[in-house]
Amino acid sequence: MEAVPEKRLALFAQMEERYEKKDVDYFVSLITHEDYVVRTRATCILVDFGGEDKIPYIAKVLKHDPNELVRHEAAFSLGQMGYRSAIPHLEDATLHDPSMFVRHEAAIALGVVGAKDARHVLEQALNDPSVPVVESAIVALSNIQFMEKLSKNEKFAKLTGG
């Protein structure tokens, strides 16, 4: 269900106030809001707050949100956060999410994290029925290989990963 634009904008104003106060609990409560736009924004804000303690919340969004765009944003965000504790959640999404859009982003995120442990999952993704997922797995595997063998600059390696 989509919120009326005026209602959404009023909520965004409130969100901005809470963002300035770094109110993590408030944004955690919004990841189950009825409006997918609000859920997407709340996910991004939690990531912006930083910290590995946010991984379980973002992983919950990735696993359970009914909207594939929101789940895609969660996969992207987990990759950008770069924590190894996100790997199992990204692996699950790469192999099992019903949306090609999410499987593709989860595979890319594994490459961004540089998850050598996820190589077996990315190799399985090479058999995905969706070409973009297969191509994403190739990009991720290539980045992992690059990070293992050649890269001296971790930031650069993550930038080339997706």
Side-chain angles (χ1 to χ4, degrees), residues 58-65 71 74-75 78 89-90 93 97 102:
I58 308 305
K60 178 182 176 185
V61 172
L62 178 60
K63 181 71 174 175
H64 299 290
D65 198 278
R71 292 193 317 275
L78 288 172
H89 308 290
L90 291 167
D97 196 278
V102 177

Side-chain angles (χ1 to χ4, degrees), residues 82-84 86-88 90-91 106-122 140-141 143-145 147-148 158:
Y83 293 111
R84 297 189 59 70
I87 293 170
L90 291 167
E91 288 178 328
I108 288 291
L110 286 170
V112 172
V113 173
K116 298 173 215 165
D117 308 351
R119 182 177 278 120
H120 67 285
V121 168
L122 291 166
L141 285 164
N143 196 56
I144 290 169
Q145 183 180 28
M147 289 176 81
E148 286 177 338
K158 288 180 183 290

Side-chain angles (χ1 to χ4, degrees), residues 100-161:
M100 170 281 299
F101 189 51
V102 177
R103 292 192 314 275
H104 130 78
E105 193 58 45
I108 288 291
L110 286 170
V112 172
V113 173
K116 298 173 215 165
D117 308 351
R119 182 177 278 120
H120 67 285
V121 168
L122 291 166
E123 289 170 351
Q124 289 177 50
L126 294 173
N127 297 315
D128 194 280
S130 171
V131 171
V133 175
V134 171
E135 291 174 345
S136 296
I138 291 169
V139 168
L141 285 164
S142 174
N143 196 56
I144 290 169
Q145 183 180 28
F146 174 72
M147 289 176 81
E148 286 177 338
K149 298 189 186 299
L150 299 173
S151 179
K152 295 175 182 70
N153 183 326
E154 185 177 336
K155 182 177 179 187
F156 173 77
K158 288 180 183 290
L159 290 172
T160 62

Side-chain angles (χ1 to χ4, degrees), residues 12-64:
F12 280 2
Q14 181 182 50
M15 289 169 73
E16 185 174 24
E17 289 175 24
R18 297 293 186 95
Y19 173 79
E20 290 170 1
K21 294 176 183 174
K22 302 286 188 207
D23 188 346
V24 172
D25 293 336
Y26 174 77
F27 289 99
V28 167
S29 75
L30 291 179
I31 63 174
T32 57
H33 192 274
E34 66 181 346
D35 183 351
Y36 76 94
V37 177
V38 172
R39 294 192 314 271
T40 301
R41 193 169 194 121
T43 299
C44 293
I45 290 168
L46 285 171
V47 170
D48 181 70
F49 285 159
E52 194 167 3
D53 61 322
K54 308 307 181 300
I55 297 290
Y57 303 117
I58 308 305
K60 178 182 176 185
V61 172
L62 178 60
K63 181 71 174 175
H64 299 290

